[in-house]
Amino acid sequence: MIELVRRLPFRPPLDPSNLYGHLAATAVPGVEEWADGAYRAVVPLPGGPSVVTVGLPEADAVPVRLVLGEAADEEEALRRVRRTFDLDADPLEVDAALAADPGLAPLVAAAPGRRVPGTVDPEAMVLRAVLGQQVSTAAARTHAARLVAALGAPLEAPDGGLTRVFPRAADLVAAPERVAEVVRMPASRLRTLLGVAAALADGVVDLAADPRVVRAALLALPGIGPWTADTVLMRALGDADAFLPGDLGVVAAARRLGLPDAPRALEVRSRAWSPYRAYAVQHLWATGEHAVNAVPA
DNA sequence: CACGATCCGGCTA
DNA sequence: TAGCCGTATCGTG
């Protein structure tokens, strides 16, 4: 067990509200938590499960504490934190691109440096995206927590609320009846969950591939539509241009702002925001009253 | 393209 | 506790 403390630099500005807010509000009990003003998560790495603790941003860096199984995992652990907190973004370029649209300019001005929350565990994010179809973020969190409790490998050294590793796709494939027992949702969505798990486990969906390839592979699976595929691109692959024109929150925000709110028309308008449409999603979501939009008190 | 089924969990009254 | 909504998807007409 190796403990390391690091500071990860970023290009200011960085708006922490939706970034930390989203990660905290959707934190899955057992594998993630918000504690003492920091986001904490279990990260499956080659040398074994690790724990990352990420505090609120300072002027130009984010404080990180790593507890690793092996020192060799440091680089990968830090890479995942950078991805999760979008620390490699160029906020001046992103903000300038979005603010060129008068419809988005006020949102950018109100929250410069807004980031796109990612994930420390891309494979888990794919499964969570399916669990999040059509249900509230709170309900999605409940479903994921049940999956973790039933199928997540226990940590040798539980740490606060962090007790398990999020189940691997192969774990679901190996125990489909157990998945059906604990995840109470429509039969079609259960089939989708198991189908996605199988596709991940056998390489039909390869998260290391080009985002366009991943998107096509996901859309080919029954029960995976544009929302789920593009959520995966945005959150798990870090595709800055992923867009969710049919998302309930995005549509509602567009309507409030006087933007086109029909998904098709909104997709057309969004082309002007390319290649930073994922940031537009964040700005649009942030116009609503939702738990994901604020760092917990 | 519009619309209903899915059939659950969270939240409100 | 009844009833509606929730950061969807698919099949039908």
Side-chain angles (χ1 to χ4, degrees):
Chain A
M1 207 91 106
I2 297 136
E3 180 165 346
L4 302 171
V5 173
R6 296 288 184 261
R7 292 176 76 256
L8 293 180
F10 58 82
R11 300 184 189 85
L14 184 154
D15 185 309
S17 60
N18 68 303
L19 179 63
Y20 287 77
H22 199 112
L23 293 166
T26 63
V28 177
V31 298
E32 297 175 291
E33 67 176 355
W34 178 262
D36 302 323
Y39 169 77
R40 312 184 69 235
V42 177
V43 188
L45 293 174
S50 297
V51 170
V52 300
T53 301
V54 184
L56 288 166
E58 298 159 4
D60 61 1
V62 167
V64 179
R65 186 161 57 86
L66 306 176
V67 178
L68 305 172
E70 293 182 3
D73 284 335
E74 176 183 354
E75 183 179 355
E76 177 64 13
L78 293 178
R79 194 186 70 79
R80 295 204 191 191
V81 172
R82 296 192 69 81
R83 172 62 64 77
T84 301
F85 289 82
D86 200 10
L87 300 179
D88 294 319
D90 183 342
L92 298 183
E93 184 176 330
V94 171
D95 290 359
L98 297 185
D101 186 321
L104 293 184
L107 308 185
V108 175
R114 192 180 287 289
R115 306 296 165 113
V116 180
T119 179
V120 297
D121 189 347
E123 185 175 296
M125 183 56 68
V126 180
L127 302 173
R128 290 177 60 175
V130 174
L131 294 175
Q133 289 178 355
Q134 200 257 326
V135 302
S136 64
T137 55
R141 184 167 167 270
T142 297
H143 291 305
R146 289 175 181 168
L147 201 58
V148 167
L151 291 172
L155 296 183
E156 289 179 22
D159 183 348
L162 307 182
T163 57
R164 293 175 184 271
V165 181
F166 198 97
R168 301 296 85 194
D171 296 333
L172 275 67
V173 172
E177 68 297 321
R178 188 82 180 107
V179 176
E181 271 175 33
V182 301
V183 178
R184 307 307 305 172
M185 46 177 40
S188 61
R189 191 162 307 126
L190 181 61
R191 284 194 297 274
T192 299
L193 180 65
L194 291 170
V196 169
L200 286 166
D202 65 21
V204 169
V205 171
D206 174 11
L207 297 179
D210 181 271
R212 300 300 305 178
V213 173
V214 175
R215 186 174 194 277
L218 286 169
L219 287 175
L221 300 173
I224 303 291
W227 182 89
T228 306
D230 289 323
T231 293
V232 168
L233 262 59
M234 180 174 73
R235 298 290 313 277
L237 273 56
D239 180 352
D241 205 33
F243 192 57
L244 307 175
D247 174 89
L248 190 62
V250 168
V251 167
R255 185 174 300 128
R256 287 193 297 270
L257 293 167
L259 290 166
D261 60 346
R264 203 185 179 99
L266 185 55
E267 197 282 327
V268 171
R269 175 68 166 257
S270 78
R271 292 175 193 169
W273 311 332
S274 186
Y276 300 116
R277 291 187 284 185
Y279 293 87
V281 170
Q282 301 302 318
H283 279 291
L284 291 170
W285 275 347
T287 62
E289 292 296 322
H290 198 294
V292 302
N293 290 325
V295 179

